[in-house]
Amino acid sequence: MSGIKPFITLGIESSCDETGIGLYHSEKGLIGHQLFSQVEIHAEYGGVVPELASRDHIQRTLPLIKAVLAEAKLTLSDISGIAYTAGPGLAGALLVGSAVAKSLAWSLKIPSLGVHHMEGHLLAPLLEEQQPSFPFIALLVSGGHTMLVDVKAIGEYEILGESLDDAVGEAFDKTAKILGLGYPGGPALAQLAQQGNQDAFKFPRPMIDRPGLDFSFSGLKTFARNTFAKHPEQKADIAKAFEVAATSTLMIKCRRALEQANRKTLVVAGGVSANLSLRQELDAMGLKLGVDVFYPRQEFCTDNGAMIALAGHLRLSKGQVTAGGEITIQPRWSLEDLEVV
């Protein structure tokens, strides 16, 4: 026995409509995580209500921390550091996680660190047994973000392209709303698309005819609206056409990014990475190009505390901390502004 105490990081995720808690152990890896989704709370409004989200985070965070500690058979005194999502996200929701983390860290006399939400997603595949090695291209796809990142090392990120308007997850949700589907719209649209005929309609692949790696999905959403107005009886076919166009566009841009940066590894993360059509498209591309493609497991595609615990652990264990006792958040925060580990 070396006698060296393991470093255990508590991760708190509260950037939007899911409260996630995770525990990461320096020797054992992820040792516990729990998630509470606010889907039912926001469903009647057809989207996230920030004030309701913040209030629910207040109610859920401490009970979830207690539950995860009990699951891992640990107490607060066993924690070495606390990581919390400091941004990007909803300001009120971020403040809840930040306040809890800072208060706990102060009372336990341990360090705390504000983590970038999208770095959490980007590193989530490192929670798996088969992990990507650096450098790699990351496709980050969620309700709020669509971006391609050249990842040279942890914290050494170059954004190659991003959405100029709607993120792809947002476009999925809005198109689902046009079709009269439930909330959250993205998964509902993907489920309906399984019944659709992909030859019924041909939707455009936006911005593939021009150079560069930026995205635009608002026009695709509008195309879906116009098609639905003419063919309201063909919801499943429209859902299928939209999904095929969106996932094909992402694949084409991924291929460009891999070739441009001369990379042979692709990481796909964020809520939309759970989409089976997208995974099939990218897996087929990977086989054709000799590229290894990695995803987080389904439960870690959406927001979760495990990814924040991991991202925080990688930084806290190297001595990075958010100094001072102030409750600090960054609702807008670029990946390129992060420190290299």
Side-chain angles (χ1 to χ4, degrees):
M1 295 289 289
S2 65
I4 299 174
K5 184 181 178 182
F7 197 100
I8 299 174
T9 303
L10 171 70
I12 301 174
E13 156 61 25
S14 67
S15 66
C16 191
D17 60 344
E18 285 162 323
T19 311
I21 305 297
L23 276 175
Y24 194 89
H25 190 289
S26 56
E27 297 167 5
K28 300 176 183 178
L30 185 68
I31 55 173
H33 67 95
Q34 292 205 20
L35 181 75
F36 180 82
S37 173
Q38 300 176 6
V39 166
E40 289 186 12
I41 295 170
H42 302 290
E44 65 178 294
Y45 302 100
V48 177
V49 181
E51 178 66 20
L52 295 181
S54 302
R55 290 181 183 182
D56 199 68
H57 286 308
I58 293 170
Q59 292 182 305
R60 306 289 176 183
T61 304
L62 287 176
L64 281 173
I65 290 173
K66 290 177 182 178
V68 171
L69 286 169
E71 175 189 343
K73 296 181 173 58
L74 296 175
T75 66
L76 284 172
S77 61
D78 295 310
I79 298 171
S80 310
I82 303 177
Y84 60 95
T85 303
L90 301 174
L94 293 169
L95 282 169
V96 176
S98 175
V100 172
K102 283 286 192 176
S103 302
L104 270 179
W106 179 81
S107 65
L108 296 169
K109 296 180 173 57
I110 58 176
S112 63
L113 177 70
V115 170
H116 194 293
H117 179 75
M118 297 311 293
E119 182 175 56
H121 279 303
L122 187 152
L123 298 176
L126 297 181
L127 291 164
E128 308 305 325
E129 282 189 25
Q130 292 203 334
Q131 303 175 2
S133 55
F134 299 93
F136 56 78
I137 293 295
L139 172 67
L140 301 179
V141 278
S142 68
H145 297 84
T146 303
M147 63 176 71
L148 282 162
V149 186
D150 187 18
V151 179
K152 302 176 180 69
I154 297 173
E156 192 174 353
Y157 308 130
E158 180 187 356
I159 297 174
L160 303 176
E162 54 192 330
S163 183
L164 303 178
D165 40 57
D166 291 350
V168 66
E170 187 180 3
F172 264 90
D173 288 342
K174 288 181 177 178
T175 301
K177 195 169 186 178
I178 290 166
L179 297 178
L181 306 180
Y183 173 84
L189 186 145
Q191 188 172 3
L192 180 62
Q194 293 177 6
Q195 305 167 30
N197 173 11
Q198 77 173 53
D199 297 321
F201 299 107
K202 176 77 171 179
F203 279 28
R205 276 64 168 163
M207 292 186 70
I208 64 168
D209 295 331
R210 65 180 75 176
L213 295 168
D214 286 331
F215 301 92
S216 171
F217 290 102
S218 64
L220 187 58
K221 170 201 66 188
T222 302
F223 196 93
R225 177 187 288 115
N226 293 340
T227 305
F228 180 59
K230 296 175 184 175
H231 306 278
E233 75 288 352
Q234 290 181 262
K235 282 187 180 182
D237 294 340
I238 292 169
K240 184 67 174 180
F242 174 87
E243 183 181 58
V244 168
T247 56
S248 295
T249 300
L250 292 170
M251 182 275 292
I252 291 166
K253 294 296 177 101
C254 282
R255 186 177 64 209
R256 282 188 193 174
L258 289 160
E259 292 170 351
Q260 178 179 310
N262 194 27
R263 304 291 187 221
K264 287 297 182 182
T265 303
L266 175 68
V267 162
V268 189
V272 182
S273 70
N275 183 280
L276 296 179
S277 176
L278 177 61
R279 291 192 176 210
Q280 291 167 0
E281 192 87 47
L282 293 175
D283 286 342
M285 179 205 70
L287 283 173
K288 187 175 181 180
L289 299 180
V291 167
D292 294 320
V293 185
F294 293 85
Y295 314 89
R297 72 191 79 163
Q298 290 281 330
E299 64 184 315
F300 293 154
C301 289
T302 54
D303 296 350
N304 62 86
M307 69 182 191
I308 301 304
L310 169 65
H313 175 82
L314 293 171
R315 292 181 174 277
L316 282 165
S317 60
K318 297 293 185 181
Q320 291 190 16
V321 298
T322 300
E326 301 87 3
I327 296 171
T328 54
I329 60 169
Q330 296 191 62
R332 294 183 179 274
W333 190 7
S334 173
L335 272 171
E336 294 180 332
D337 294 337
L338 297 180
E339 291 182 45
V340 178
V341 173

